[in-house]
Coordinates of all heavy atoms in Angstrom, one line a residue:
C1 N 26.2 -42.8 -66.7 CA 25.8 -43.6 -65.7 C 25.5 -45.0 -66.3 O 24.8 -45.1 -67.2 CB 24.6 -43.1 -64.9 SG 24.8 -43.2 -63.1
Q2 N 26.1 -46.1 -65.7 CA 25.9 -47.4 -66.2 C 24.7 -48.1 -65.5 O 24.7 -48.1 -64.3 CB 27.1 -48.3 -66.2 CG 27.0 -49.6 -66.9 CD 28.3 -50.3 -66.9 OE1 29.3 -49.9 -66.2 NE2 28.4 -51.4 -67.6
Q3 N 23.8 -48.7 -66.2 CA 22.7 -49.4 -65.6 C 23.1 -50.8 -65.3 O 23.7 -51.5 -66.1 CB 21.5 -49.4 -66.5 CG 20.2 -49.8 -65.9 CD 19.1 -49.6 -66.8 OE1 19.3 -49.5 -68.0 NE2 17.8 -49.7 -66.3
I4 N 22.8 -51.3 -64.0 CA 23.1 -52.7 -63.7 C 21.8 -53.5 -63.7 O 20.7 -53.1 -63.2 CB 23.7 -52.7 -62.2 CG1 25.0 -51.9 -62.1 CG2 23.9 -54.1 -61.7 CD1 25.5 -51.8 -60.8
H5 N 22.0 -54.6 -64.3 CA 20.8 -55.6 -64.5 C 21.0 -56.8 -63.6 O 21.9 -57.5 -63.7 CB 20.6 -56.0 -65.9 CG 19.5 -57.0 -66.1 ND1 18.2 -56.6 -66.0 CD2 19.4 -58.4 -66.3 CE1 17.4 -57.7 -66.2 NE2 18.2 -58.7 -66.3
I6 N 20.1 -57.0 -62.6 CA 20.1 -58.1 -61.7 C 19.1 -59.1 -62.2 O 17.9 -58.7 -62.4 CB 19.9 -57.8 -60.3 CG1 21.1 -56.9 -59.8 CG2 19.9 -59.0 -59.4 CD1 20.9 -56.3 -58.4
G7 N 19.5 -60.4 -62.4 CA 18.5 -61.4 -62.9 C 18.5 -62.5 -61.9 O 19.2 -62.6 -61.0
V8 N 17.5 -63.4 -62.2 CA 17.4 -64.7 -61.5 C 17.5 -65.8 -62.5 O 16.9 -65.9 -63.5 CB 16.0 -64.8 -60.8 CG1 15.8 -66.1 -60.0 CG2 15.8 -63.6 -59.9
N9 N 18.5 -66.8 -62.2 CA 18.7 -67.9 -63.1 C 17.7 -69.0 -62.9 O 16.7 -68.9 -62.0 CB 20.1 -68.5 -62.9 CG 20.3 -69.1 -61.6 OD1 19.4 -69.5 -60.9 ND2 21.6 -69.3 -61.2
Q10 N 17.8 -70.1 -63.6 CA 16.7 -71.2 -63.5 C 16.6 -71.8 -62.2 O 15.6 -72.4 -61.9 CB 17.0 -72.2 -64.6 CG 18.3 -73.0 -64.4 CD 18.8 -73.7 -65.5 OE1 18.4 -73.3 -66.7 NE2 19.6 -74.7 -65.4
L11 N 17.6 -71.6 -61.3 CA 17.5 -72.3 -60.0 C 17.2 -71.3 -58.8 O 17.2 -71.6 -57.7 CB 18.9 -73.0 -59.7 CG 19.2 -74.1 -60.5 CD1 20.6 -74.6 -60.3 CD2 18.2 -75.3 -60.3
G12 N 16.8 -70.1 -59.3 CA 16.5 -69.1 -58.3 C 17.7 -68.3 -57.7 O 17.6 -67.5 -56.8
G13 N 18.9 -68.5 -58.3 CA 20.1 -67.8 -57.9 C 20.1 -66.4 -58.5 O 19.7 -66.2 -59.7
L14 N 20.6 -65.4 -57.8 CA 20.7 -64.1 -58.3 C 22.0 -63.9 -59.0 O 23.0 -64.5 -58.6 CB 20.6 -63.1 -57.1 CG 19.3 -63.0 -56.3 CD1 19.4 -62.1 -55.1 CD2 18.2 -62.7 -57.2
F15 N 22.0 -63.1 -60.1 CA 23.3 -62.8 -60.7 C 23.3 -61.4 -61.3 O 22.1 -60.8 -61.4 CB 23.6 -63.8 -61.9 CG 22.6 -63.7 -63.1 CD1 22.9 -62.8 -64.1 CD2 21.4 -64.4 -63.1 CE1 22.0 -62.7 -65.2 CE2 20.5 -64.2 -64.1 CZ 20.7 -63.4 -65.1
V16 N 24.4 -60.8 -61.5 CA 24.5 -59.5 -62.1 C 25.3 -59.6 -63.4 O 26.3 -60.3 -63.5 CB 25.4 -58.5 -61.1 CG1 25.5 -57.2 -61.8 CG2 24.7 -58.4 -59.8
N17 N 24.6 -59.2 -64.5 CA 25.2 -59.3 -65.8 C 26.6 -58.7 -65.8 O 26.8 -57.6 -65.3 CB 24.3 -58.6 -66.9 CG 23.2 -59.5 -67.4 OD1 23.2 -60.7 -67.1 ND2 22.3 -58.9 -68.2
G18 N 27.5 -59.5 -66.4 CA 28.9 -59.0 -66.5 C 29.7 -59.3 -65.3 O 31.0 -59.0 -65.3
R19 N 29.2 -59.7 -64.2 CA 30.0 -60.0 -63.1 C 30.2 -61.5 -63.0 O 29.3 -62.3 -62.9 CB 29.3 -59.5 -61.8 CG 30.2 -59.8 -60.6 CD 29.8 -58.9 -59.4 NE 29.9 -57.5 -59.8 CZ 29.3 -56.5 -59.1 NH1 28.6 -56.8 -58.0 NH2 29.5 -55.3 -59.5
P20 N 31.5 -62.0 -63.0 CA 31.8 -63.4 -63.0 C 31.5 -64.1 -61.7 O 31.5 -63.3 -60.6 CB 33.3 -63.4 -63.3 CG 33.9 -62.2 -63.0 CD 32.7 -61.1 -63.1
L21 N 31.3 -65.4 -61.7 CA 31.1 -66.1 -60.5 C 32.5 -66.1 -59.7 O 33.5 -66.2 -60.3 CB 30.8 -67.6 -60.9 CG 30.2 -68.5 -59.9 CD1 28.8 -68.0 -59.4 CD2 30.1 -69.9 -60.4
P22 N 32.4 -66.0 -58.4 CA 33.6 -65.9 -57.6 C 34.5 -67.1 -57.8 O 34.0 -68.2 -58.0 CB 33.1 -65.8 -56.2 CG 31.6 -65.3 -56.3 CD 31.2 -65.8 -57.6
T23 N 35.8 -67.0 -57.6 CA 36.7 -68.0 -57.8 C 36.5 -69.2 -56.8 O 36.6 -70.3 -57.2 CB 38.1 -67.6 -57.6 OG1 38.4 -66.4 -58.5 CG2 39.2 -68.6 -57.9
C24 N 36.1 -68.9 -55.6 CA 35.9 -70.0 -54.6 C 34.7 -70.9 -55.1 O 34.8 -72.2 -55.0 CB 35.6 -69.5 -53.2 SG 34.1 -68.4 -53.2
K25 N 33.7 -70.4 -55.7 CA 32.6 -71.2 -56.3 C 33.1 -72.0 -57.5 O 32.7 -73.1 -57.7 CB 31.4 -70.3 -56.6 CG 30.8 -69.7 -55.3 CD 29.6 -68.9 -55.6 CE 29.1 -68.1 -54.4 NZ 28.1 -67.1 -54.7
R26 N 33.9 -71.3 -58.3 CA 34.4 -72.0 -59.5 C 35.2 -73.2 -59.1 O 35.2 -74.3 -59.7 CB 35.3 -71.0 -60.3 CG 34.5 -70.0 -61.0 CD 35.4 -68.8 -61.5 NE 34.7 -67.9 -62.3 CZ 34.5 -68.1 -63.6 NH1 35.1 -69.0 -64.3 NH2 33.8 -67.2 -64.3
K27 N 36.1 -73.0 -58.1 CA 36.9 -74.1 -57.6 C 36.1 -75.3 -57.0 O 36.4 -76.5 -57.2 CB 37.9 -73.6 -56.5 CG 39.1 -72.8 -57.1 CD 40.0 -72.3 -56.0 CE 41.1 -71.5 -56.7 NZ 42.0 -70.9 -55.7
R28 N 35.0 -75.0 -56.4 CA 34.1 -75.9 -55.9 C 33.5 -76.7 -56.9 O 33.3 -77.9 -56.8 CB 33.0 -75.3 -54.9 CG 32.1 -76.3 -54.3 CD 32.8 -77.1 -53.2 NE 31.9 -78.1 -52.6 CZ 32.2 -79.3 -52.3 NH1 33.4 -79.7 -52.4 NH2 31.3 -80.1 -51.8
I29 N 33.1 -76.1 -58.0 CA 32.6 -76.8 -59.2 C 33.5 -77.8 -59.7 O 33.2 -79.0 -60.0 CB 32.1 -75.8 -60.2 CG1 30.8 -75.0 -59.8 CG2 31.8 -76.4 -61.6 CD1 30.5 -73.8 -60.6
I30 N 34.8 -77.4 -59.9 CA 35.8 -78.2 -60.4 C 36.1 -79.4 -59.5 O 36.3 -80.5 -59.9 CB 37.1 -77.4 -60.8 CG1 36.8 -76.5 -61.9 CG2 38.2 -78.3 -61.1 CD1 37.7 -75.4 -62.1
E31 N 36.1 -79.2 -58.2 CA 36.3 -80.2 -57.2 C 35.3 -81.3 -57.3 O 35.5 -82.5 -57.3 CB 36.4 -79.6 -55.8 CG 37.6 -78.8 -55.4 CD 37.4 -78.1 -54.1 OE1 36.3 -78.2 -53.4 OE2 38.3 -77.3 -53.8
L32 N 34.0 -80.9 -57.4 CA 32.9 -81.8 -57.5 C 33.0 -82.6 -58.8 O 32.7 -83.8 -58.7 CB 31.6 -81.0 -57.4 CG 31.2 -80.5 -56.0 CD1 30.0 -79.5 -56.1 CD2 30.9 -81.6 -55.0
A33 N 33.3 -81.9 -59.8 CA 33.4 -82.6 -61.1 C 34.5 -83.7 -61.1 O 34.4 -84.8 -61.6 CB 33.6 -81.6 -62.2
A34 N 35.6 -83.3 -60.4 CA 36.8 -84.3 -60.3 C 36.3 -85.5 -59.5 O 36.9 -86.6 -59.6 CB 37.9 -83.6 -59.6
C35 N 35.4 -85.4 -58.6 CA 34.9 -86.5 -57.8 C 33.8 -87.3 -58.5 O 33.2 -88.3 -58.0 CB 34.2 -86.0 -56.5 SG 35.5 -85.3 -55.4
G36 N 33.6 -86.9 -59.8 CA 32.6 -87.7 -60.6 C 31.2 -87.2 -60.5 O 30.2 -87.9 -61.0
V37 N 30.9 -86.1 -59.9 CA 29.6 -85.6 -59.8 C 29.1 -85.0 -61.1 O 29.8 -84.2 -61.8 CB 29.5 -84.5 -58.7 CG1 28.0 -84.0 -58.5 CG2 30.0 -85.0 -57.3
R38 N 27.8 -85.3 -61.5 CA 27.3 -84.8 -62.8 C 27.0 -83.3 -62.7 O 26.8 -82.8 -61.7 CB 26.0 -85.5 -63.2 CG 26.2 -87.0 -63.4 CD 24.9 -87.6 -63.8 NE 23.8 -87.3 -62.8 CZ 22.6 -87.5 -63.0 NH1 22.2 -88.0 -64.2 NH2 21.7 -87.1 -62.2
T39 N 27.1 -82.7 -63.9 CA 26.8 -81.2 -64.0 C 25.5 -80.8 -63.3 O 25.4 -79.8 -62.5 CB 26.8 -80.8 -65.4 OG1 28.0 -81.2 -66.1 CG2 26.6 -79.3 -65.7
S40 N 24.4 -81.5 -63.6 CA 23.1 -81.2 -63.0 C 23.1 -81.3 -61.5 O 22.5 -80.6 -60.8 CB 22.0 -82.0 -63.6 OG 22.3 -83.4 -63.4
D41 N 23.9 -82.3 -61.0 CA 23.9 -82.6 -59.6 C 24.8 -81.5 -58.9 O 24.6 -81.1 -57.7 CB 24.5 -84.0 -59.2 CG 23.5 -85.1 -59.7 OD1 22.3 -84.8 -59.7 OD2 24.0 -86.1 -60.0
I42 N 25.8 -81.0 -59.6 CA 26.6 -79.9 -59.1 C 25.8 -78.6 -58.9 O 25.8 -78.0 -57.9 CB 27.9 -79.7 -60.1 CG1 28.9 -80.8 -60.0 CG2 28.6 -78.4 -59.6 CD1 30.0 -80.7 -61.0
S43 N 25.1 -78.3 -60.0 CA 24.2 -77.0 -59.9 C 23.2 -77.3 -58.7 O 23.0 -76.3 -58.0 CB 23.6 -76.8 -61.2 OG 22.6 -77.7 -61.6
R44 N 22.6 -78.4 -58.6 CA 21.7 -78.6 -57.5 C 22.3 -78.6 -56.1 O 21.8 -78.0 -55.2 CB 21.0 -80.0 -57.7 CG 19.5 -79.9 -57.5 CD 18.7 -81.2 -57.8 NE 18.7 -81.5 -59.2 CZ 19.2 -82.5 -59.7 NH1 19.8 -83.5 -59.0 NH2 19.1 -82.7 -61.1
S45 N 23.5 -79.1 -56.0 CA 24.2 -79.1 -54.6 C 24.6 -77.7 -54.3 O 24.6 -77.4 -53.1 CB 25.4 -80.1 -54.7 OG 26.4 -79.6 -55.4
L46 N 25.0 -76.9 -55.3 CA 25.4 -75.5 -55.0 C 24.2 -74.7 -54.6 O 24.3 -73.8 -53.8 CB 26.1 -74.9 -56.2 CG 27.5 -75.4 -56.4 CD1 28.1 -74.9 -57.7 CD2 28.4 -75.2 -55.3
K47 N 23.0 -75.1 -55.1 CA 21.8 -74.4 -54.7 C 21.5 -74.6 -53.2 O 21.1 -73.7 -52.5 CB 20.6 -74.9 -55.5 CG 19.3 -74.2 -55.1 CD 18.1 -74.7 -55.9 CE 16.9 -73.9 -55.4 NZ 15.7 -74.4 -56.1
V48 N 21.8 -75.8 -52.8 CA 21.5 -76.1 -51.3 C 22.5 -75.4 -50.4 O 22.2 -74.9 -49.3 CB 21.6 -77.7 -51.1 CG1 21.6 -78.0 -49.6 CG2 20.5 -78.3 -51.8
C49 N 23.8 -75.3 -50.7 CA 24.8 -74.8 -49.8 C 25.1 -73.3 -50.0 O 25.8 -72.8 -49.2 CB 26.1 -75.6 -49.9 SG 26.9 -75.7 -51.5
L50 N 24.6 -72.7 -51.0 CA 24.8 -71.2 -51.2 C 23.6 -70.4 -50.8 O 22.4 -70.8 -51.0 CB 25.1 -70.9 -52.7 CG 26.2 -71.6 -53.2 CD1 26.3 -71.1 -54.8 CD2 27.5 -71.1 -52.6
I51 N 23.9 -69.3 -50.1 CA 22.8 -68.5 -49.5 C 22.0 -67.8 -50.6 O 20.8 -67.8 -50.6 CB 23.4 -67.4 -48.6 CG1 24.1 -68.1 -47.4 CG2 22.4 -66.4 -48.2 CD1 24.9 -67.1 -46.5
R52 N 22.7 -67.4 -51.7 CA 22.0 -66.6 -52.7 C 21.4 -67.4 -53.8 O 21.0 -67.0 -54.8 CB 22.9 -65.5 -53.3 CG 23.4 -64.6 -52.3 CD 24.3 -63.6 -52.8 NE 23.7 -62.9 -54.0 CZ 24.4 -62.2 -54.9 NH1 25.7 -62.1 -54.8 NH2 23.8 -61.6 -55.8
G53 N 21.3 -68.8 -53.6 CA 20.7 -69.6 -54.7 C 21.8 -70.3 -55.5 O 22.9 -70.2 -55.3
G54 N 21.3 -71.1 -56.4 CA 22.2 -72.0 -57.1 C 22.9 -71.4 -58.3 O 22.7 -70.2 -58.6
V55 N 23.7 -72.2 -59.0 CA 24.3 -71.9 -60.2 C 23.7 -72.7 -61.3 O 23.6 -74.0 -61.1 CB 25.8 -72.1 -60.1 CG1 26.6 -71.8 -61.4 CG2 26.5 -71.4 -58.9
S56 N 23.4 -72.1 -62.5 CA 22.7 -72.9 -63.5 C 23.5 -73.9 -64.1 O 24.8 -73.9 -64.0 CB 22.1 -71.9 -64.6 OG 23.3 -71.4 -65.3
N57 N 22.9 -75.0 -64.7 CA 23.6 -76.0 -65.4 C 24.5 -75.4 -66.5 O 25.7 -75.9 -66.7 CB 22.6 -77.0 -66.1 CG 21.8 -77.8 -65.1 OD1 22.2 -77.9 -63.9 ND2 20.8 -78.4 -65.6
G58 N 24.0 -74.5 -67.2 CA 24.8 -73.8 -68.3 C 26.1 -73.2 -67.7 O 27.1 -73.3 -68.3
C59 N 25.9 -72.6 -66.6 CA 27.1 -71.9 -66.0 C 28.2 -73.0 -65.6 O 29.3 -72.8 -65.9 CB 26.7 -71.1 -64.8 SG 28.0 -70.2 -63.9
V60 N 27.7 -74.0 -65.0 CA 28.6 -75.1 -64.6 C 29.2 -75.7 -65.8 O 30.5 -75.8 -65.7 CB 27.8 -76.2 -63.8 CG1 28.7 -77.4 -63.6 CG2 27.3 -75.6 -62.5
S61 N 28.5 -76.0 -66.8 CA 29.1 -76.6 -68.1 C 30.1 -75.6 -68.7 O 31.2 -76.1 -69.1 CB 28.0 -76.8 -69.1 OG 27.1 -77.8 -68.6
K62 N 29.9 -74.4 -68.7 CA 30.7 -73.4 -69.3 C 32.0 -73.3 -68.5 O 33.1 -73.3 -69.1 CB 30.0 -72.0 -69.3 CG 30.7 -70.9 -70.1 CD 29.8 -69.7 -70.2 CE 30.4 -68.7 -71.1 NZ 29.5 -67.5 -71.1
I63 N 32.0 -73.3 -67.2 CA 33.1 -73.2 -66.4 C 34.0 -74.4 -66.6 O 35.2 -74.4 -66.7 CB 32.8 -73.0 -64.9 CG1 32.3 -71.6 -64.7 CG2 34.0 -73.3 -63.9 CD1 31.6 -71.2 -63.4
L64 N 33.3 -75.7 -66.5 CA 34.1 -76.9 -66.7 C 34.7 -77.0 -68.0 O 35.8 -77.5 -68.2 CB 33.1 -78.1 -66.4 CG 32.7 -78.3 -65.0 CD1 31.7 -79.4 -64.8 CD2 33.9 -78.6 -64.0
G65 N 33.9 -76.6 -69.1 CA 34.5 -76.7 -70.4 C 35.7 -75.9 -70.6 O 36.8 -76.3 -71.2
R66 N 35.7 -74.7 -70.1 CA 36.9 -73.8 -70.2 C 38.0 -74.4 -69.3 O 39.2 -74.4 -69.7 CB 36.5 -72.4 -69.6 CG 37.7 -71.4 -69.8 CD 37.1 -70.0 -69.7 NE 38.2 -69.1 -69.8 CZ 38.9 -68.6 -68.8 NH1 38.5 -68.9 -67.6 NH2 39.9 -67.8 -68.9
Y67 N 37.7 -74.9 -68.1 CA 38.8 -75.5 -67.3 C 39.4 -76.7 -68.0 O 40.6 -76.9 -68.0 CB 38.2 -76.0 -66.0 CG 39.2 -76.7 -65.1 CD1 40.2 -76.0 -64.5 CD2 39.1 -78.1 -64.9 CE1 41.1 -76.6 -63.7 CE2 40.0 -78.8 -64.1 CZ 41.0 -78.0 -63.6 OH 42.0 -78.6 -62.7
Y68 N 38.6 -77.6 -68.7 CA 39.1 -78.8 -69.4 C 40.0 -78.3 -70.6 O 41.0 -79.0 -70.9 CB 38.0 -79.7 -69.8 CG 37.3 -80.3 -68.7 CD1 35.9 -80.6 -68.8 CD2 37.9 -80.7 -67.5 CE1 35.2 -81.2 -67.7 CE2 37.3 -81.3 -66.4 CZ 35.9 -81.6 -66.6 OH 35.2 -82.1 -65.5
R69 N 39.5 -77.3 -71.3 CA 40.2 -76.7 -72.4 C 41.6 -76.1 -72.1 O 42.6 -76.3 -72.8 CB 39.4 -75.8 -73.3 CG 38.7 -76.3 -74.4 CD 38.0 -75.3 -75.3 NE 37.7 -74.0 -74.6 CZ 36.6 -73.7 -74.0 NH1 35.7 -74.6 -73.8 NH2 36.4 -72.5 -73.5
T70 N 41.5 -75.2 -71.1 CA 42.7 -74.4 -70.8 C 43.4 -74.6 -69.5 O 44.4 -74.1 -69.3 CB 42.2 -72.9 -70.9 OG1 41.3 -72.6 -69.8 CG2 41.6 -72.5 -72.2
G71 N 42.6 -75.2 -68.6 CA 43.2 -75.4 -67.2 C 42.9 -74.2 -66.4 O 43.4 -74.1 -65.2
A72 N 42.2 -73.2 -66.9 CA 42.1 -71.9 -66.2 C 40.8 -72.0 -65.3 O 39.8 -72.4 -65.7 CB 41.9 -70.8 -67.2
V73 N 40.9 -71.5 -64.1 CA 39.9 -71.4 -63.1 C 39.3 -70.0 -63.1 O 38.1 -69.8 -62.9 CB 40.3 -71.9 -61.7 CG1 39.2 -71.7 -60.7 CG2 40.8 -73.3 -61.7
E74 N 40.2 -69.0 -63.2 CA 39.7 -67.6 -63.1 C 38.9 -67.3 -64.2 O 39.0 -67.8 -65.3 CB 41.0 -66.8 -63.1 CG 41.9 -67.0 -61.9 CD 41.4 -66.6 -60.6 OE1 40.7 -65.6 -60.5 OE2 41.7 -67.2 -59.6
P75 N 38.0 -66.2 -64.0 CA 37.2 -65.8 -65.1 C 38.1 -65.0 -66.2 O 39.2 -64.6 -65.8 CB 36.2 -64.8 -64.5 CG 36.8 -64.5 -63.2 CD 37.7 -65.6 -62.8
K76 N 37.6 -65.0 -67.5 CA 38.3 -64.3 -68.5 C 38.3 -62.8 -68.1 O 37.5 -62.3 -67.4 CB 37.6 -64.4 -69.8 CG 37.7 -65.8 -70.4 CD 37.4 -65.8 -71.9 CE 35.8 -65.9 -72.1 NZ 35.4 -66.0 -73.4
A77 N 39.3 -62.1 -68.6 CA 39.5 -60.7 -68.4 C 38.4 -59.9 -69.1 O 38.2 -60.3 -70.3 CB 40.9 -60.2 -68.8
V78 N 37.8 -59.0 -68.5 CA 36.8 -58.2 -69.2 C 37.5 -56.9 -69.7 O 38.3 -56.3 -68.9 CB 35.7 -57.8 -68.2 CG1 34.7 -56.9 -68.9 CG2 34.9 -59.0 -67.6
G79 N 37.2 -56.6 -70.9 CA 37.8 -55.4 -71.4 C 38.6 -55.7 -72.7 O 38.3 -56.5 -73.4
G80 N 39.8 -55.0 -72.8 CA 40.5 -55.2 -74.1 C 40.1 -54.2 -75.1 O 39.5 -53.2 -74.8
S81 N 40.4 -54.5 -76.4 CA 40.1 -53.6 -77.4 C 38.7 -53.5 -77.7 O 38.2 -52.5 -78.2 CB 41.0 -54.0 -78.7 OG 40.5 -55.3 -79.1
K82 N 38.0 -54.7 -77.5 CA 36.5 -54.6 -77.7 C 35.8 -55.1 -76.4 O 35.5 -56.4 -76.3 CB 36.1 -55.5 -78.8 CG 36.6 -55.0 -80.2 CD 36.0 -55.9 -81.3 CE 36.4 -55.3 -82.6 NZ 36.0 -56.2 -83.7
P83 N 35.6 -54.3 -75.5 CA 34.9 -54.8 -74.3 C 33.6 -55.3 -74.5 O 32.8 -54.8 -75.3 CB 34.9 -53.5 -73.4 CG 35.1 -52.4 -74.3 CD 35.9 -52.9 -75.5
R84 N 33.3 -56.4 -73.8 CA 31.9 -57.0 -73.8 C 31.0 -56.2 -72.9 O 31.2 -56.1 -71.8 CB 32.0 -58.4 -73.4 CG 32.8 -59.3 -74.4 CD 33.0 -60.7 -73.9 NE 33.7 -60.7 -72.6 CZ 33.8 -61.7 -71.8 NH1 33.1 -62.9 -72.1 NH2 34.5 -61.8 -70.8
T85 N 30.0 -55.6 -73.5 CA 29.0 -54.9 -72.7 C 27.6 -55.3 -73.0 O 27.3 -55.6 -74.1 CB 29.1 -53.3 -72.9 OG1 28.9 -53.1 -74.3 CG2 30.5 -52.8 -72.5
A86 N 26.8 -55.4 -72.0 CA 25.4 -55.6 -72.2 C 24.6 -54.3 -72.1 O 24.5 -53.8 -71.0 CB 24.9 -56.7 -71.2
T87 N 24.3 -53.8 -73.2 CA 23.5 -52.5 -73.2 C 22.1 -52.7 -72.7 O 21.6 -53.9 -72.8 CB 23.5 -51.9 -74.6 OG1 22.8 -52.7 -75.5 CG2 24.9 -51.6 -75.1
P88 N 21.4 -51.7 -72.2 CA 20.0 -52.0 -71.8 C 19.1 -52.5 -72.9 O 18.3 -53.3 -72.7 CB 19.5 -50.6 -71.4 CG 20.9 -49.8 -71.0 CD 21.9 -50.4 -71.9
E89 N 19.4 -52.1 -74.2 CA 18.7 -52.7 -75.3 C 18.9 -54.2 -75.5 O 17.9 -54.9 -75.6 CB 19.0 -52.0 -76.6 CG 18.7 -50.5 -76.7 CD 19.7 -49.6 -75.9 OE1 20.9 -50.0 -75.8 OE2 19.3 -48.5 -75.6
V90 N 20.1 -54.6 -75.3 CA 20.4 -56.0 -75.5 C 19.8 -56.8 -74.3 O 19.2 -57.9 -74.5 CB 21.9 -56.3 -75.5 CG1 22.3 -57.7 -75.4 CG2 22.5 -55.6 -76.8
V91 N 20.0 -56.3 -73.1 CA 19.3 -56.9 -71.9 C 17.9 -57.1 -72.0 O 17.3 -58.1 -71.8 CB 19.7 -56.2 -70.6 CG1 18.9 -56.7 -69.4 CG2 21.2 -56.3 -70.3
A92 N 17.2 -56.0 -72.5 CA 15.7 -56.0 -72.7 C 15.4 -57.1 -73.7 O 14.4 -57.8 -73.6 CB 15.2 -54.6 -73.1
R93 N 16.1 -57.2 -74.8 CA 15.8 -58.1 -75.9 C 16.0 -59.5 -75.4 O 15.2 -60.4 -75.7 CB 16.7 -57.9 -77.1 CG 16.4 -58.7 -78.2 CD 16.4 -58.0 -79.5 NE 16.2 -58.9 -80.6 CZ 15.2 -58.8 -81.5 NH1 14.4 -57.8 -81.4 NH2 15.2 -59.5 -82.5
I94 N 17.0 -59.8 -74.6 CA 17.2 -61.1 -74.1 C 16.1 -61.5 -73.2 O 15.6 -62.6 -73.2 CB 18.6 -61.3 -73.4 CG1 19.7 -61.1 -74.4 CG2 18.7 -62.5 -72.6 CD1 21.1 -61.0 -73.9
A95 N 15.8 -60.6 -72.3 CA 14.7 -60.8 -71.3 C 13.4 -61.1 -72.0 O 12.6 -61.9 -71.6 CB 14.5 -59.7 -70.3

């Protein structure tokens, strides 16, 4: 049985470790950045318009950086030869 860890980011948004941000929210981040909105303002504006809370500055920066580097909006594939997993020990240590 796999344990699921739900956390709260710096803006009060809920997240599940290992679950990527939905594509619609990723596209909105990119649209706002294309209009010249700063990263911190993007995260704050998403906090206002999303029911479950905002998206952290780090999350916004990471999505934009990957988009500028590769042009990809979709999250990276999870799995492969070395799947990325957050074990309960790792989650406890980070927390």
Side-chain angles (χ1 to χ4, degrees):
C1 227
Q2 188 175 5
Q3 191 175 18
I4 296 175
H5 176 75
I6 297 176
V8 180
N9 69 17
Q10 65 195 27
L11 295 172
L14 299 175
F15 67 93
V16 178
N17 273 350
R19 183 158 303 161
L21 198 64
T23 304
C24 60
K25 293 179 188 173
R26 291 168 172 269
K27 287 180 180 177
R28 183 69 181 140
I29 289 169
I30 292 165
E31 288 169 4
L32 290 170
C35 293
V37 181
R38 294 181 312 165
T39 303
S40 57
D41 294 331
I42 291 173
S43 65
R44 225 175 288 119
S45 71
L46 290 175
K47 179 181 182 183
V48 170
C49 57
L50 296 177
I51 295 169
R52 295 180 59 196
V55 177
S56 69
N57 291 342
C59 178
V60 172
S61 295
K62 192 173 184 180
I63 288 169
L64 289 175
R66 184 160 178 268
Y67 176 74
Y68 295 144
R69 261 191 337 275
T70 66
V73 178
E74 299 290 328
K76 287 195 280 186
V78 177
S81 60
K82 291 185 178 180
R84 296 177 292 169
T85 57
T87 64
E89 294 82 20
V90 171
V91 171
R93 182 133 174 128
I94 291 170

